[in-house]
Every structure is written in C-alpha cells, then in structure tokens.
Amino acid sequence: MILWVGVLVAGGFGAVLRFLVDGAVGRRAARSFPVGTLAVNVSGAALLGLIGGLALSRPAALLAGTAFVGSYTTFSTWMLETQRLGEERQVWPAVANIVVSVVLGMAAATLGQWIAGRL
C-alpha cells in the first residue's frame, strides 16, 4: 500500500514539474517549435539514465523512474506537437522535432548513466 501511495505522490510531483518546466521554457522561447516539451523530455532522459545507472532497489527504481520520471516526461505531447507541426505544413520543424528529440534524448540518457557510474 505504501508503494502505491508513493507512486501517486511521485507521479503527481512529476506531472506538476513538467507543467512548470514546459511553461517556463515555452514562455522564454515563444516559438512554434515545442522547445518546452523538448527540454522536459531531454532532461527526463538524463534523469532516467542517472536512475538506471544507480544500484537502486526495485521499489526505489519504480518510484523514481516509473512514477516520477514517467509522469514528468511526455511521449504523447511530443507526438501530438509533431503531428500538429505536420498539419500546419511545417514539415522541416516536424522532422527536426523527431530527430533532435531522439538524438538529444539518447545523448542525455547516456550522460545520465555516465554520471551515475562516477557516483
């Protein structure tokens, strides 16, 4: 039961943090390109790489990785924003959103794992 409550709390914090980070970055960038979502997903990939590289117990990994980072990052918003760029005939920004997100996400996850290996 305590693990479920932890999932609810960590997931709630992750979702609120996503809302705050996406909004703050989006306001500063003020572009049609979804930089807020990109910032959230890349930072989340780095955090998940770090968590994955640490020797956490299964419950701790569930709380940190699945509950917090899982609710912080957002695949669905990334895809919706990419689809909307395509609908608006902004093909290159849509393609760039996919490529940049994947490349930076992989690099961020690798960086997170590298940092975990140094701790």
Side-chain angles (χ1 to χ4, degrees), residues 82-104:
T82 303
Q83 186 267 337
R84 284 187 179 156
L85 287 169
E87 273 185 352
E88 295 168 357
R89 307 270 190 247
Q90 296 184 49
V91 176
W92 288 115
V95 170
N97 192 33
I98 293 168
V99 172
V100 169
S101 293
V102 170
V103 169
L104 290 181

Side-chain angles (χ1 to χ4, degrees), residues 42-54 103-119:
V42 170
S43 62
L47 185 56
L48 195 54
L50 177 70
I51 291 166
L54 297 174
V103 169
L104 290 181
M106 293 292 291
T110 302
L111 176 63
Q113 287 181 324
W114 180 82
I115 291 170
R118 303 298 178 271
L119 296 177

Side-chain angles (χ1 to χ4, degrees), residues 41-83:
N41 286 340
V42 170
S43 62
L47 185 56
L48 195 54
L50 177 70
I51 291 166
L54 297 174
L56 298 178
S57 68
R58 182 162 160 59
L62 175 69
L63 287 173
T66 304
F68 179 76
V69 179
S71 66
Y72 173 66
T73 58
T74 175
F75 180 81
S76 56
T77 301
W78 173 50
M79 286 294 99
L80 179 62
E81 289 170 342
T82 303
Q83 186 267 337

